[in-house]
Amino acid sequence: WLLDTYARKSESKQTIREVWYDLDGTRNMQYTTSASLPGGFQDRLFEAWITFEERVEADGLRTYIIAFCPIEKYKGTHHKVEGAEKMQDATS
């Protein structure tokens, strides 16, 4: 499960779009993106911590549990992006 398409800058007004894999040697990812807002509002920065767990059920069926949380909930490494200081953190 990869977010490679999200790691590239899009053609829209998004100025920041970064993905870091294997945070601290685990299955965790940090996803950072920005959004430009109209009408003089300050641009917003969205940062998420994404993790998953694979489980194999008794019948052999594989199940994946995926969690999306604000990066503040992750106690490990937090990557910083250039230009983020000019934006307002989005709230969840």
Side-chain angles (χ1 to χ4, degrees), residues 5-68:
T5 56
Y6 296 107
R8 300 182 197 108
K9 286 189 177 181
S10 71
E11 299 297 321
S12 68
K13 291 186 175 185
Q14 290 178 324
T15 56
I16 295 175
R17 203 170 206 171
E18 296 286 339
V19 177
W20 290 273
Y21 298 99
D22 302 322
L23 293 179
D24 303 318
T26 64
R27 292 182 296 266
N28 297 311
M29 289 184 278
Q30 177 181 340
Y31 172 58
T32 301
T33 189
S34 66
S36 294
L37 301 175
F41 291 101
Q42 189 175 10
D43 292 348
R44 298 292 190 263
L45 185 68
F46 298 88
E47 295 184 291
W49 165 43
I50 304 168
T51 189
F52 73 95
E53 181 178 339
E54 177 186 37
R55 292 187 179 180
V56 179
E57 304 298 331
D59 60 1
L61 183 67
R62 291 178 184 224
T63 303
Y64 294 90
I65 301 169
I66 301 172
F68 298 83

